[in-house]
């Protein structure tokens, strides 16, 4: 069975027939070719597939495509403007918060969800917001530092919220 | 995995009731239990999946007289951000805050947690302490069942195939109620509870006049600790009473060994959580 989707992905309107049993993750990767969003566990445990769905961080592996009709979706591909990286991406690079990088797109999207809610988060709050993203090689300290730095940069050079 | 399933996204409750009365269908709220079960091969892929998420009335949290009505599709995040719930049932907020991860709290719903009927479901012990009433609707009408009569065992409830859980109704206790929710897991996030405990204590002129204690993950369903309730009623809460409560609570549960923990440890920890919960209430009373 196919279903018709009319959604916005990274600000671009997308109208497409997709298999109704696809998850949002498979729609992004297989229909849209947006392979930045990673597939890890496929059961909500690792956070590699995190995207923003109407402004909220969700595991795209646990959302069925027909449920997102009409929604606004942001993926890691929507962060940079051309070659100009988003401050959160720059901060991850500058703080060595990326080793193998498999967890990075998910962590970036959880960080964006955090900064949308709270532009000046405490360390405790940062930990709460990234608790659903497993990183098995960097370790969380550089990641937490990167998020703190991005919050500082964004205070001086704000960017539009991705909602 | 789901390639033969039909997915329906109805626009209103009547349409859902119509579909589930005619077809062998599974409803999906947040999908954080159902999709995991299907993907892991525990539940066979349903022929028809009916998605609830788009129906805004099922997300509503509102007050009607002295009752709070929580739509079955209210997500943990919606509960966390509801002033009505924060003001009236802080232990339910405490439980919602501990579920899974931010991503799970964005999608997972209170209705899904109840119908999934896991003894470790975090929203369930607070709802037991409140005697929450569940509204079950089918095309022929509705019935109401109290949560402790609704859940029959792990994954087992009295919900019929043609019924939808539409709302959870809770009477706001009179007087000044005190609440606690305590849980233990392997980690702070993404770890289902090994043991949990929730309490509601009503105090009148310094004396406990209402007490409901519910224990999670220590039996096939959440259970009330009636022995603790008996000790507390008619007394003034103090350290001595708390110690005896913690001791007797251990006999009120029937835990098992499983991958998450062992029966002995769970039983001991019931005592610890009851002690911590009641101590927190005592501190609040002493202000
Ligand atoms: C990584 C991960 C971590 C988790 N951590 C926790 C945790 O810490 N604590 C915890 O309690 N749970 C946890 N869970 C389990 C799950 O997230 C919760 O039980 C959640 O509340 C389920 O809600 P849902 O809306 O996603 O349910 P769904 O998966 O949509 O549905 C669950 C069941 O309920 C039925 N159902 C749903 N809504 C209705 C309705 N309105 N009427 C009739 N039937 C209905 C469905 O048919 C299905 O059988 C976790 C899950 C994952 C994947
Ligand atoms: S792939 Fe979705 S949480 Fe792991
Ligand atoms: S950088 Fe490898 S898992 Fe995080």
């Amino acid at each position: 069975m196919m279903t018709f989707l009319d959604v916005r992905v990274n600000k671009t309107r997308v109208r497409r027939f997709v298999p109704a049993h696809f998850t949002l993750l498979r729609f992004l990767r297989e229909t849209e070719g947006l392979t930045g969003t990673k597939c890890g566990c496929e059961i909500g445990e690792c956070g590699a597939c995190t995207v923003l769905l109407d402004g909220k961080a969700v595991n795209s592996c646990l959302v069925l495509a027909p449920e997102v009709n009409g929604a606004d979706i942001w993926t890691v591909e929507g962060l940079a403007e051309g070659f100009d990286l988003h401050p959160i991406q720059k901060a991850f690079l500058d703080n060595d918060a990326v080793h193998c990088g498999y967890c990075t797109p998910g962590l970036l999207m959880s960080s964006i969800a955090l900064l949308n809610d709270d532009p000046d988060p405490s360390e405790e709050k940062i930990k709460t917001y990234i608790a659903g993203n497993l990183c098995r090689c960097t370790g969380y300290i550089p990641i937490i530092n990167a998020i703190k730095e991005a919050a500082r940069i964004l205070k001086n050079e704000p960017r539009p919220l991705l909602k | 995995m789901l390639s033969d399933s039909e997915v329906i996204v109805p626009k209103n409750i009547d349409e859902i009731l119509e579909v589930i009365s005619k077809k062998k269908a599974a409803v999906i709220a947040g999908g954080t239990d159902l999709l995991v079960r299907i993907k892991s091969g525990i539940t066979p892929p349903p022929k028809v999946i009916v998605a609830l998420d788009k129906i805004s009335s099922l997300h509503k949290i509102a007050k009607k007289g002295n009752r709070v009505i929580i739509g079955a599709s209210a997500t943990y995040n919606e509960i966390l951000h509801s002033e009505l719930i924060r003001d009236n049932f802080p232990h339910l907020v405490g439980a919602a805050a501990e579920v899974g991860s931010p991503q799970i709290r964005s999608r997972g719903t209170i209705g899904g947690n109840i119908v999934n009927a896991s003894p470790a479901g975090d929203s369930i012990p607070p709802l037991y302490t409140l005697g929450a009433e569940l509204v079950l609707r089918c095309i022929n009408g509705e019935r109401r069942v109290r949560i402790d009569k609704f859940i029959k065992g792990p994954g087992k409830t009295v919900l019929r195939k043609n019924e939808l859980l539409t709302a959870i109704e809770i009477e706001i206790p009179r007087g000044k109620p005190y609440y606690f929710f305590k849980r233990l897991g392997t980690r702070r996030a993404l770890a289902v509870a090994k043991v949990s405990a929730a309490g509601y204590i009503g105090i009148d002129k310094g004396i406990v006049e209402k007490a409901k204690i519910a224990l999670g993950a220590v039996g096939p369903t959440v259970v009330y600790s009636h022995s603790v309730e008996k000790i507390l009623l008619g007394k003034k809460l103090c350290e001595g009473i708390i110690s005896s409560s913690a001791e007797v609570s251990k006999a009120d549960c029937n835990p098992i060994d499983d991958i998450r923990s062992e029966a002995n440890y769970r039983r001991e920890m019931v005592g610890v959580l009851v002690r911590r919960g009641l101590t927190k209430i005592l501190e609040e009373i002493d202000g």
Side-chain angles (χ1 to χ4, degrees), chain B residues 58-212:
Chain B
L58 288 177
H59 284 268
K60 226 167 98 183
I61 301 174
K63 196 171 159 190
K64 206 168 144 195
N66 70 335
R67 294 168 88 80
V68 173
I69 300 167
I70 307 174
S73 294
T75 63
Y76 294 106
N77 261 342
E78 285 163 348
I79 289 170
L80 286 172
H81 288 111
S82 156
E83 249 171 65
L84 199 53
I85 310 273
R86 268 196 310 221
D87 289 350
N88 287 294
F89 313 122
H91 61 333
L92 184 55
V93 171
E98 302 236 15
V99 171
S101 66
Q103 294 93 322
I104 296 291
R105 294 193 291 272
S106 295
R107 297 285 300 171
T109 66
I110 188 165
N113 203 223
I114 296 169
V115 175
N116 198 52
S118 158
D122 282 314
S123 75
I124 300 173
L127 293 174
Y128 264 59
T129 67
L130 295 163
E133 210 170 55
L134 309 182
V135 182
L136 311 177
R137 268 181 70 181
C138 71
I139 42 166
N140 302 318
E142 70 169 47
R143 61 182 177 129
R144 284 152 187 270
V145 182
R146 227 178 50 203
I147 187 157
D148 53 305
K149 303 270 182 265
F150 178 80
I151 297 175
K152 288 288 163 198
K156 284 204 191 74
T157 70
V158 301
L159 187 78
R160 298 177 189 134
K161 292 222 162 12
N162 64 344
E163 281 178 326
L164 182 74
L165 167 64
T166 55
I168 297 102
E169 290 201 13
I170 307 169
E171 207 175 297
I172 300 171
R174 282 177 233 283
K176 171 106 188 74
Y178 293 87
Y179 298 107
F180 72 81
F181 176 77
K182 299 278 170 191
R183 116 210 252 275
L184 273 183
T186 302
R187 302 180 301 274
R188 271 177 50 201
L190 286 171
V192 172
K194 294 176 179 199
V195 194
S196 61
Y200 149 48
I201 310 281
I203 301 215
D204 188 32
K205 300 190 188 80
I207 302 296
V208 177
E209 48 128 32
K210 276 255 161 59
K212 286 281 167 205

Side-chain angles (χ1 to χ4, degrees), chain A residues 39-83:
Chain A
C39 171
C41 64
E42 273 205 274
I43 52 167
E45 301 269 355
C46 75
C49 67
T50 305
V51 301
L52 297 194
L53 177 63
D54 289 329
K56 291 176 303 243
V58 303
N59 299 312
S60 61
C61 68
L62 293 184
V63 180
L64 290 176
E67 297 186 273
V68 304
N69 200 13
D72 252 304
I73 298 152
W74 284 94
T75 70
V76 68
E77 287 90 346
L79 295 183
E81 290 170 5
F83 289 106

